[in-house]
Amino acid sequence: MQIAARGLVFDVQAGGPEDGPVALLLHGFPQHAGEWEQVADRLHDAGIRTYAFDQRGYSPGARPSAVADYLVGECVADALGVLDALGVDRAHVVGHDWGAVVAWHLAAEHADRVPTLTAISVPHPVAFAKTIATDPDQQQRSAYIGLFQQEGKAEDLLLEDEGRRLREIFTGVPADRVERFVTPMLDRARLTGGLNWYRALTLGAGFTPAGKVAVPTTFLWSDGDWAIGPKAAESCAAYVTGDYRFVNLSGVSHWIPDEAPDDTAREILARITGQA
């Protein structure tokens, strides 16, 4: 379905019992709301109502052209706007990759609307930013961001050979799932929309600082993640004042919801039900 919010139109996937607790599922790059399909099915079976939407830059009706329109504050406001349009006052928030960045901000800045947070792969923005600034290992892992910020060049390279490099990003993901994500991103306008999230980082000092998070929080990471190293992951705890659980899924890559949907759903449910 489509939801109008903030003068934009977002493509939204909804499922699960209409009277169940609500979970808002936020995707990352270079994916879309479909990254949650396998996880959402498991949440629905447990009685959770889910909403996952193609975020700014990904939904055709929500694709402004200016890089400044992709500052994280705009993306956070989109999530709130979608919830408002759906008539949802409070939602358990789950985010992966860039979706996790939005989720951290939602939990820190709008705790009255976020009963629990499950962040996947990407730690609290301050923990991440400080680690990038000081840790050579994380600097090497994050070097690709500089390429993604180069307008035109990044698109050319990622679209070359029918998206070969996009496919290579999805290490460990089953081939059918890879095509589920790569095929839509071969649309250059959609790809630019996703890359603009990275380009907006150049308009400030990098990742916009978020406050400490007081809501019950689970951070789900894997030691097989090529993008996020152990120092960033382990430093996340310092930025959560509420009940906190750090889960390391050993051997899984960056694409946790696709590679380990059972584990992902289990941890989300444990957090939502207070059993984490």
Side-chain angles (χ1 to χ4, degrees):
M1 65 180 178
Q2 293 186 317
I3 293 293
R6 307 187 69 227
L8 305 170
V9 178
F10 296 92
D11 296 334
V12 181
Q13 295 183 17
E18 294 187 3
D19 60 350
V22 173
L24 178 68
L25 311 177
L26 302 168
H27 72 85
F29 178 89
Q31 297 182 282
H32 50 69
E35 86 157 277
W36 297 109
E37 291 164 341
Q38 299 178 96
V39 173
D41 285 345
R42 291 156 171 81
L43 298 181
H44 300 161
D45 290 343
I48 305 299
R49 176 72 170 174
T50 67
Y51 294 103
F53 71 99
D54 288 357
Q55 296 198 75
R56 177 175 293 243
Y58 298 85
S59 288
R63 194 173 291 161
S65 59
V67 170
D69 290 326
Y70 293 82
L71 289 165
V72 71
E74 295 294 332
C75 305
V76 171
D78 289 343
L80 293 173
V82 167
L83 289 177
D84 288 343
L86 290 167
V88 176
D89 293 328
R90 284 165 59 81
H92 301 276
V93 175
V94 182
H96 171 247
D97 190 78
W98 267 110
V101 176
V102 175
W104 282 112
H105 279 274
L106 281 169
E109 298 157 13
H110 302 278
D112 59 320
R113 304 196 64 176
V114 181
T116 72
L117 166 66
T118 303
I120 304 172
S121 298
V122 174
H124 188 282
V126 176
F128 193 26
K130 287 186 175 180
T131 306
I132 291 176
T134 60
D135 179 43
D137 174 66
Q138 188 57 56
Q139 290 166 1
Q140 184 175 15
R141 292 172 185 264
S142 299
Y144 70 92
I145 294 176
L147 168 63
F148 285 4
Q149 291 172 336
Q150 297 182 46
E151 296 185 36
K153 181 177 180 180
E155 284 89 340
D156 290 344
L157 286 173
L158 291 174
L159 293 173
E160 196 173 71
D161 299 331
E162 298 184 349
R164 174 177 58 84
R165 290 181 178 85
L166 280 172
R167 290 180 175 84
E168 291 173 349
I169 290 173
F170 289 101
T171 303
V173 178
D176 61 327
R177 298 291 296 166
V178 173
E179 292 309 310
R180 178 85 170 84
F181 303 125
V182 171
T183 298
M185 295 304 283
L186 297 179
D187 174 359
R188 191 181 183 97
R190 187 184 184 103
L191 178 59
T192 295
L195 290 170
N196 277 342
W197 290 55
Y198 294 92
R199 291 165 185 166
L201 294 173
T202 66
L203 302 181
F207 286 97
T208 303
K212 291 190 176 183
V213 173
V215 307
T217 297
T218 295
F219 176 46
L220 187 57
W221 175 76
S222 172
D223 57 12
D225 193 320
W226 53 265
I228 309 295
K231 185 171 182 180
E234 292 164 3
S235 63
C236 186
Y239 300 93
V240 181
T241 60
D243 181 67
Y244 178 70
R245 186 179 184 202
F246 173 47
V247 180
N248 178 2
L249 295 180
S250 183
V252 180
S253 82
H254 181 72
W255 314 105
I256 291 175
D258 290 287
E259 289 187 68
D262 285 329
D263 292 326
T264 303
R266 182 190 67 241
E267 296 302 333
I268 295 169
L269 286 170
R271 178 49 68 193
I272 289 175
T273 61
Q275 302 302 309

